[in-house]
Amino acid sequence: MVQEGFTFPTHIPLEQLLAPCKKTRGKKGRITRPQNAFILYRKDLQDKIKDENPDADFKEISRIAGNRWKHEVDHVKNNYTLLATLGGLVHQDLFPNYKYQPR
């Protein structure tokens, strides 16, 4: 991905990164919410963190990703925010009647 003259590489293909989550919690067939910037960041870095910490479980990977996100530079955060916006548009195309309804 190119933005303002520099390249922003992702660790996994964009199609896979922006794909909506296939797993659902609760009732089956429920449409999941669009992914936010941090979720995309965590999803992109999950395999890298797992390679660095082979014994880390899901909770530990999320903690490490959260700590890295907190200290990440603004232009990287902005790129994931842009990807989250694009993911939201993809989600809107796939599920045009979706409306977030908190419980």
Side-chain angles (χ1 to χ4, degrees):
M1 177 173 187
V2 177
Q3 178 184 350
E4 297 180 12
F6 69 92
T7 303
F8 176 68
T10 57
H11 297 95
I12 60 176
L14 282 178
E15 296 81 19
Q16 184 180 351
L17 186 62
L18 296 178
C21 182
K22 292 181 180 130
K23 297 179 182 177
T24 60
R25 295 183 198 152
K27 62 182 178 178
K28 295 183 179 183
R30 182 175 73 89
I31 300 170
T32 57
R33 293 172 65 184
Q35 300 170 84
N36 64 30
F38 172 72
I39 297 299
L40 292 173
Y41 177 80
R42 188 210 178 284
K43 187 176 178 181
D44 193 29
L45 290 183
Q46 180 170 338
D47 290 338
K48 183 178 178 185
I49 293 171
K50 190 70 174 166
D51 289 343
E52 295 168 358
N53 304 281
D55 295 334
D57 60 358
F58 188 86
K59 182 178 176 182
E60 182 70 13
I61 291 171
S62 291
R63 188 189 62 75
I64 294 168
N67 193 31
R68 288 186 185 183
W69 177 257
K70 190 186 315 183
H71 298 98
E72 195 64 77
V73 293
D74 286 341
H75 75 271
V76 172
K77 287 183 177 182
N78 290 341
N79 284 323
Y80 282 101
T81 301
L82 176 64
L83 289 176
T85 303
L86 291 173
L89 294 173
V90 169
H91 188 275
Q92 190 174 9
D93 285 345
L94 292 173
F95 310 108
N97 297 324
Y98 172 78
K99 182 179 178 190
Y100 175 60
Q101 298 175 345
R103 295 179 187 162

